[in-house]
Each structure stands twice: as structure tokens, then as C-alpha cells.
Amino acid sequence: MGDLGSLSIIGMTALGGSLLLASDPVSIPVTAPSETGAISSDAVPAQGKVLSPTEREAGRIYLTATLASAPARLIIDTGASHTILSKRDAQRAKAVRIGAASVATAGGVASMEVARVSAVSIGDQTVRDVDVLVSDDVAESLLGLDLLDRIGATHVSLMPGNAIR
């Protein structure tokens, strides 16, 4: 058996109450089980950013963001490759339509608008000129992996707290 002092993980995994969103191998120190059987882990790399939700409700994890100058409540969806805004949130953010796309979803192929939001702010992070999908079929907007990557989030905490630390 190899050295248990570190564990390399690629992709997305649940570990220590957070989701690892790194595409590159990450070394994670692991402490052997204590006498109580608990395993402790320091799962956040020093250079990583942790995105913490602002609330949890009905099995969903929400984050408050600012789309252009409009506040929005987004579901953190690590299973969504793209951020999808509800029609209402897109209008409030004054998103500018730049095209259309056919998108493969869990429910099949759906037609959506492609739009650009001038800025998205989450915590103290602001990203400019964000391309999003806009759907008539979603009641709540989804924060997808594309925007998580652009803000540099390497972990998503499962407990509400500060937006980014």
C-alpha cells in the first residue's frame, strides 16, 4: 500500500464537507483515524478559494450574487456546466442577447438564449462580461461550473457563511 500522508484527487469529490472542483491533481494531507475513529482532513489548498452558500433550503444550496447591479439568489449547481439565468433575473440584470443555443440538459435538449451580463459579483470577486444561458423553463437561476471557474472557486462549502474566503 502507498503512502497515506497525501491523497491526490482529480475532478469533483465530496471530502470533509466541501466539494473539490479542481481539474488538476491536488495533494490533500490526510490524518489517520484517531482512537474515536474520526478522520480529520485539511481539504482546502493554501491557494484555493472556498465559496460558501448564503443559505440552504429544501436540499438546495443558494448563493447571493449581484448580476450587473441587480441582486440575485442563485442555486449552486456543480452539475451544470453553464450558468443559467431565469428570464426574470436576466431582465433585472439587463442581460444583452447575443445568440441562441441548443443545450443538452437532464430533461433532454432545450433551446435557450445566450446573453451577456456586464458583471457578476460574488462576495468580493467581480467578473466582467459574463456569457450566460437564459431559459424560460427555470424558475430559479443556476450558478454553474463556468462561473465558479471564472471566480476561481476551488471548493464549495456545504455550510452557509461568507461568500468567498
Side-chain angles (χ1 to χ4, degrees):
M1 192 180 276
D3 177 17
L4 295 178
S6 68
L7 176 67
S8 293
I9 296 176
I10 299 175
M12 212 168 23
T13 184
L15 180 67
S18 65
L19 296 173
L20 182 62
L21 301 175
S23 58
D24 296 324
V26 177
S27 289
I28 300 173
V30 176
T31 303
S34 67
E35 291 177 13
T36 64
I39 296 176
S40 64
S41 173
D42 182 10
V44 182
Q47 74 277 12
K49 290 182 186 172
V50 177
L51 184 68
S52 295
T54 49
E55 65 183 291
R56 291 181 69 168
E57 179 183 306
R60 293 188 175 120
I61 302 172
Y62 291 93
L63 181 95
T64 300
T66 303
L67 308 175
S69 60
R73 181 178 180 233
L74 308 173
I75 297 171
I76 300 173
D77 188 347
T78 60
S81 58
H82 292 84
T83 297
I84 302 174
L85 299 184
S86 67
K87 195 72 150 175
R88 178 178 176 262
D89 282 342
Q91 289 170 343
R92 293 179 62 225
K94 297 181 175 68
V96 177
R97 185 182 189 279
I98 57 174
S102 291
V103 181
T105 70
V109 176
S111 296
M112 295 187 198
E113 293 181 8
V114 180
R116 183 163 294 144
V117 176
S118 62
V120 175
S121 297
I122 299 171
D124 62 356
Q125 296 287 322
T126 299
V127 180
R128 305 243 178 251
D129 298 322
V130 178
D131 291 347
V132 297
L133 297 171
V134 179
S135 175
D136 291 328
D137 297 328
V138 296
E140 298 179 287
S141 296
L142 307 174
L143 175 65
L145 290 175
D146 60 337
L147 193 49
L148 288 169
D149 185 48
R150 285 197 60 192
I151 62 173
T154 56
H155 290 71
V156 176
S157 172
L158 299 179
M159 300 305 297
N162 298 326
I164 295 182
R165 58 180 164 100

